[in-house]
């Protein structure tokens, strides 16, 4: 049994890296659906169907838990899969399995509150508003998940989302750092204009953006810290596994990197982030 990590493309490797650091003994299968990436501009039903197909593959390859290392899939597909698909699959396969997303841990990190906590609405005047900027795909921004879930918990926090329609594709196709920096500067300037000042904190709400977090860092003012999604997810998964020891995630430190797209070496941009060679293999066809 192993831990499956899924993203439309290479962005989920930022979460994968944090998970491997936290759980070095676990066996990991990283699977990305590059044949269908990016997901961020797709209709919701397509994101649900593609995410379900990807999870099916990972369970077929022996994963017991799948982490959706993708904000778009977590925002749009996760709840549907947990409610309508997983209960039947558990009965069919007769073993514990689950799909977990990455937005809950990020919101816990952003609010400093456990997920179960919801604020009492007392209508008190908020003295100081803490503004969080979220950079994400159009799909995640349209879901308004960060706005809605943070507002339920913290009325002294306002969320402004900045959809970045082309950025995941640019990272996926290995655009130059100069092109990426220009794109990011445009989005940071647009967000600052809309808020009327710099955000107090920022979330890179698309896992692809973490690959070039240094370019966001450069574009954002120094007083705007980034909330680190990968480590929030790793902390949360470690705690989840402590609470659910029935999930088997392997002990051999095995690592597989699979793609539905063209197999081969990752782009230079990605290998620079990864710190060494990285190759994607095709998904075994027997797994479906
Ligand atoms: N990395 C993904 C996310 O976190 C998806 C990007 C995309 O496929 O558009 O949203």
């Amino acid at each position: 049994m192993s831990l499956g990590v899924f993203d439309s493309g290479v962005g989920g490797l930022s979460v994968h890296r944090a998970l491997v650091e936290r759980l070095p003994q676990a066996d990991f299968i990283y699977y990305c659906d590059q044949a269908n990436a990016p997901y961020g501009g797709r209709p919701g039903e397509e994101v649900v169907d593609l995410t379900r197909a990807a999870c099916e593959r990972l369970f077929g390859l022996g994963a017991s838990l799948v982490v959706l290392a993708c904000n778009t899939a977590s925002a749009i597909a996760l709840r549907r899969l947990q409610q309508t698909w997983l209960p039947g699959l558990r009965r069919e396969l007769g073993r514990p399995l689950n799909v977990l997303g990455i937005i809950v841990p990020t919101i816990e990190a952003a609010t400093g509150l456990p997920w179960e906590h919801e604020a009492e609405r007392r209508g008190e005047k908020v003295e100081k508003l803490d503004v969080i900027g979220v950079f994400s795909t159009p799909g995640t921004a349209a879901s308004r998940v960060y706005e809605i879930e943070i507002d339920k918990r913290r009325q002294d926090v306002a969320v402004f989302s900045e959809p970045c329609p082309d950025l995941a594709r640019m990272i996926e196709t290995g655009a130059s750092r100069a092109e990426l920096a220009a794109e990011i500067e445009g989005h940071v300037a647009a967000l600052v204009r809309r808020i009327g000042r710099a955000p107090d904190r920022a979330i890179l709400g698309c896992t692809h953006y973490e690959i070039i977090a240094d370019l966001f860092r450069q574009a954002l003012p120094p007083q705007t810290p980034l909330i680190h999604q990968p480590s929030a997810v790793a902390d949360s998964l470690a705690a989840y596994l402590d609470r659910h020891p029935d999930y088997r995630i392997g002990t051999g430190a095995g690592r597989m990197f699979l793609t539905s797209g063209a197999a081969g070496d990752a782009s230079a941009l990605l290998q620079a982030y990864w710190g060494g060679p990285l190759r994607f293999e095709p998904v075994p066809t027997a797994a479906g």
Side-chain angles (χ1 to χ4, degrees):
M1 291 285 115
S2 54
L3 200 49
V5 180
F6 170 68
D7 184 29
S8 61
V10 297
L13 288 167
S14 58
V15 174
H16 177 275
R17 188 155 92 173
L19 297 182
V20 168
E21 270 167 27
R22 193 60 49 92
L23 303 162
Q25 76 292 353
D27 293 316
F28 282 87
I29 309 172
Y30 185 85
Y31 171 53
C32 53
D33 187 15
Q34 286 173 309
N36 296 298
Y39 280 12
R42 285 183 178 275
E45 283 308 311
E46 282 183 26
V47 174
V48 173
D49 289 347
L50 292 169
T51 305
R52 184 178 43 238
C55 293
E56 220 157 20
R57 288 203 144 148
L58 282 163
F59 290 132
L61 290 165
S64 62
L65 273 176
V66 173
V67 176
L68 300 182
C70 174
N71 287 266
T72 311
S74 300
I76 296 173
L78 179 62
R79 189 172 296 191
R80 275 273 294 281
L81 299 187
Q82 284 176 336
Q83 289 175 343
T84 64
W85 177 62
L86 278 175
L89 189 70
R90 280 191 197 105
R91 279 195 298 278
E92 188 186 317
L93 299 185
R95 60 181 169 96
L97 44 87
N98 207 359
V99 180
L100 304 172
I102 58 173
I103 290 178
V104 169
T106 311
I107 286 174
E108 288 184 327
T111 58
L113 293 167
W115 183 249
E116 301 71 39
H117 181 100
E118 291 203 6
E120 271 178 54
R121 304 219 156 245
R122 287 198 296 258
E124 281 162 13
K125 193 165 172 294
V126 171
E127 291 302 332
K128 188 188 171 296
L129 204 57
D130 182 22
V131 176
I132 299 184
V134 181
F135 298 92
S136 74
T137 66
T140 301
S143 78
R144 295 186 53 78
V145 64
Y146 283 104
E147 284 87 336
I148 293 167
E149 297 298 343
I150 290 177
D151 183 62
K152 274 188 208 162
R153 293 163 177 84
R154 290 278 304 265
Q155 283 150 49
D156 57 338
V157 177
V159 176
F160 283 72
S161 283
E162 170 66 13
C164 310
D166 211 25
L167 198 49
R169 184 201 61 79
M170 291 172 76
I171 296 164
E172 201 60 42
T173 53
S176 73
R177 283 177 57 83
E179 288 166 325
L180 291 164
E183 184 75 10
I184 290 168
E185 277 159 24
H187 285 300
V188 168
L191 182 69
V192 168
R193 247 190 334 267
R194 222 147 23 83
I195 301 172
R197 63 174 172 91
D200 299 303
R201 294 180 287 154
I203 294 174
L204 302 185
C206 167
T207 52
H208 279 72
Y209 307 168
E210 191 56 43
I211 308 283
I212 45 162
D214 63 317
L215 297 179
F216 275 95
R217 191 54 285 150
Q218 269 169 38
L220 283 161
Q223 70 272 20
T224 303
L226 292 173
I227 295 166
H228 195 239
Q229 183 170 56
S231 47
V233 174
D235 289 346
S236 169
L237 181 66
Y240 180 89
L241 289 167
D242 283 345
R243 294 196 304 276
H244 298 91
D246 41 332
Y247 287 107
R248 306 258 85 90
I249 56 163
T251 52
R255 308 279 180 262
M256 274 197 246
F257 298 92
L258 306 175
T259 180
S260 63
D265 292 335
S267 69
L269 177 78
L270 197 78
Q271 299 208 33
Y273 168 80
W274 194 247
L278 180 62
R279 205 185 148 71
F280 288 99
E281 305 298 338
V283 192
T285 45

